Amino acid sequence: MLTQTLRSLERDGLIRRDVYPTVPPRVEYGLTPLGVDVGRLTNTVAEWAVENVDQIFAARSAFDEKAAEAVQLL
């Protein structure tokens, strides 16, 4: 599964794969400039989630309460 994910990220241009002709073969992975950019975006989303986690959990609780009430009415 890891190999498939790495190949997919390589295909998308997010990581680079360097193979060294050694015994045993050595492979190194690194982010491309495109991968660095998407990492910044992902980090921004993660920061937003941390800042808003209380509101997210409150919304989930309110939703779950309404759903439970609806089930009880049936």
Side-chain angles (χ1 to χ4, degrees), residues 16-73:
R16 62 172 170 66
R17 180 177 185 258
D18 298 319
V19 180
Y20 298 92
T22 59
V23 177
R26 184 172 63 116
V27 179
E28 289 182 2
Y29 291 89
L31 290 173
T32 64
L34 189 62
V36 172
D37 283 347
V38 79
R40 287 188 190 118
L41 292 171
T42 303
N43 189 51
T44 300
V45 171
E47 288 173 357
W48 176 89
V50 169
E51 291 171 7
N52 293 285
V53 69
D54 293 337
Q55 292 180 52
I56 293 167
F57 284 151
R60 286 180 181 179
S61 292
F63 181 91
D64 292 345
E65 286 176 22
K66 286 181 184 178
E69 289 172 8
V71 168
Q72 289 176 357
L73 293 175

